[in-house]
Structures are given as C-alpha cells and as structure tokens.
C-alpha cells in the first residue's frame, strides 16, 4: 500500500473532533470498496504513518475498536467551537461570541479527496453542520445585540452572517432594521437595494415591498 500524504492529512482532520472514532468507520471512509480485512490492514499502516508524522507519537491513542487524539494534550478549534455552541447556562452569549471567533470558514477549505467518495461525503456533511451552527450562533447574537440596543454590534454580526449566506432575506431585514434603529436610513436603503439585487440575481425573485421593511 502506498500511503499518500493526503491520506495522512485526511485522517488527522477526521480525528480532530477529539472523540473516539471507530476503526471500522475510518476503514470505510478510505476503502469502502475494499474487503474488510484489507481495509483494516491499510488503516493500521495509515495510523502508523500518522503516528510518525505527529510531534509526539503518544498523541495518537488507539485501541482494538477506536482511534482518537489525546484530548488532554491536543487542542482542536473544531472541538472548541462545538463545545461553545452547545454551551448552556448563564454565559450562553459569551460562549457563542467565543464560538463565532473560532470559526474560520469551511472545514479544511481547499482540501478534497475525489478518490475517497465516503470521506468526501463525510466532509461535506461536517462542513454543512458547522456552518449551520455558526449561522445559528450569529443569529442568536444579532437578536441579543438588538434587544440590548447594541445596534452597531448587531450590524457587524449581521454582516458576518450575510457574508456566508447572502440569500438570507430575514437577516437582510434585521440588518435594515438595525440601520433604521441607529437613525441611518441611507444605510438601510442601501442594504435594501443590495438585498433586492442579490435575490433577483440568484433566485429571480423580488424582496418584500420597501415600505414593509423600513416602516
């Protein structure tokens, strides 16, 4: 088996959740069309290559059934992000602010593995799930900022949301309302016109009437 550097990277990213991953799942991600015994043997060799690539071989923890990176010695932005977006309690808003600062765009942007269809499918799902959580966090913070009268903060958060999902008409509406609340109707009108242009260009539909957005 020839171990590609890309495979080592893909395995490292999969383990970046810092949760134990079943060996069978990893073998399937890389060798879905290979007999089970061969896939498991290939995985053992791939894990050996990953162990040598790490600064400390003991960072990789393996058992007969699972593989994971030692969470006591490895920090993962993905794991930290997930921990904060599910945080409950009195500092919910603070945890969400930390989470949105951790988000850096699509997971392992620019990396693909067309020869590993199952891994590509897993990665697509992870990217979508993380983006959804990021947008949910931003939406919650926009509403929180609006309720506190922190309009400028809300504007910046809404813009970050629209930078990822420019078709989110409801967030365009929130942004317009925040501009109006600040007394900047010129910026509100500009945002409305931008929303109309985006929706017409991408979806061929018009936004709601201006009078309903800016009353």
């Amino acid at each position: 088996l020839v171990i590609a550097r890309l495979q080592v990277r893909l395995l490292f990213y999969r383990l970046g959740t810092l949760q134990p991953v079943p060996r069978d799942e990893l073998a399937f991600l890389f060798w879905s069309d290979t007999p089970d015994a061969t896939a498991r043997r290939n995985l053992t060799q791939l894990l050996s290559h990953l162990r040598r690539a790490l600064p400390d071989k003991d960072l990789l923890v393996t058992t007969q059934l699972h593989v994971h990176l030692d969470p006591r010695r490895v920090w993962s932005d993905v794991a930290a992000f997930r921990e904060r977006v599910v945080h409950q309690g009195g500092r919910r808003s603070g945890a969400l602010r930390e989470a949105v600062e951790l988000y850096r765009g699509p997971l392992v942007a620019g990396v693909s593995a067309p020869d590993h269809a199952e891994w590509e499918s897993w990665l697509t799902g992870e990217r979508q799930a993380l983006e959804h959580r990021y947008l949910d966090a931003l939406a919650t913070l926009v509403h929180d900022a609006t309720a506190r009268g922190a309009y400028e903060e809300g504007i910046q958060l809404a813009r970050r949301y629209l930078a990822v999902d420019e078709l989110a008409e409801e967030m365009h509406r929130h942004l317009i309302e925040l501009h109006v609340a600040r007394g900047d109707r010129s910026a509100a009108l500009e945002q409305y016109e931008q929303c109309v242009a985006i929706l017409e260009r991408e979806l061929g539909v018009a936004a709601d009437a201006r009078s309903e957005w800016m009353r």
Side-chain angles (χ1 to χ4, degrees):
L1 172 69
V2 176
I3 299 294
R5 181 178 300 177
L6 176 61
Q7 284 183 306
V8 176
R9 291 179 64 190
L10 298 184
L11 178 60
F12 181 76
Y13 292 135
R14 177 62 186 92
L15 298 177
T17 60
L18 302 187
Q19 297 295 320
V21 182
R23 280 178 174 264
D24 288 346
E25 177 184 324
L26 292 173
F28 182 71
L29 284 176
F30 286 100
W31 301 284
S32 59
D33 57 352
T34 302
D36 289 347
T38 303
R40 287 194 293 270
R41 187 165 56 250
N42 291 348
L43 176 61
T44 297
Q45 188 171 350
L46 182 58
L47 290 169
S48 177
H49 279 260
L50 176 59
R51 193 183 298 277
R52 289 198 296 270
L54 293 171
D56 183 342
K57 62 182 179 63
D58 292 332
L59 294 176
L60 183 64
V61 181
T62 60
T63 69
Q64 288 187 335
L65 298 178
H66 294 88
V67 180
H68 66 99
L69 295 173
D70 188 346
R72 299 167 300 177
R73 304 175 60 198
V74 176
W75 184 86
S76 164
D77 56 351
V78 174
F81 172 83
R82 282 201 172 99
E83 178 184 355
R84 284 158 177 77
V85 294
V86 301
H87 182 88
Q88 300 294 329
R91 60 181 297 271
R92 170 66 170 169
S93 293
L96 290 181
R97 290 190 188 93
E98 293 173 5
V100 298
E101 295 307 319
L102 285 168
Y103 189 81
R104 292 292 183 269
L107 181 65
V108 294
V111 174
S112 63
D115 294 336
H116 301 288
E118 296 301 330
W119 193 89
E120 281 281 320
S121 178
W122 169 82
L123 179 59
T124 298
E126 285 293 290
R127 284 172 172 168
Q128 292 173 346
L130 291 169
E131 180 180 290
H132 180 73
R133 287 179 177 271
Y134 173 65
L135 293 178
D136 274 354
L138 284 174
T140 298
L141 291 173
V142 168
H143 285 287
D144 177 69
T146 302
R148 292 185 288 107
Y151 302 130
E152 183 59 35
E153 178 185 339
I155 287 170
Q156 297 306 316
L157 291 165
R159 285 174 173 165
R160 291 177 67 172
Y161 188 110
L162 291 171
V164 175
D165 182 8
E166 66 175 2
L167 298 179
E169 186 173 348
E170 188 63 25
M171 189 55 66
H172 281 283
R173 184 190 295 272
H174 282 308
L175 184 50
I176 290 168
E177 292 171 348
L178 285 163
H179 283 307
V180 171
R182 287 184 68 235
D184 193 345
R185 295 186 67 83
S186 175
L189 177 57
E190 181 179 348
Q191 186 62 40
Y192 171 80
E193 292 174 343
Q194 181 183 7
C195 176
V196 169
I198 291 171
L199 294 179
E200 289 181 346
R201 181 186 72 236
E202 300 296 332
L203 302 177
V205 299
D208 292 340
R210 181 189 308 176
S211 60
E212 295 182 7
W213 283 49
M214 302 178 60
R215 61 179 183 272

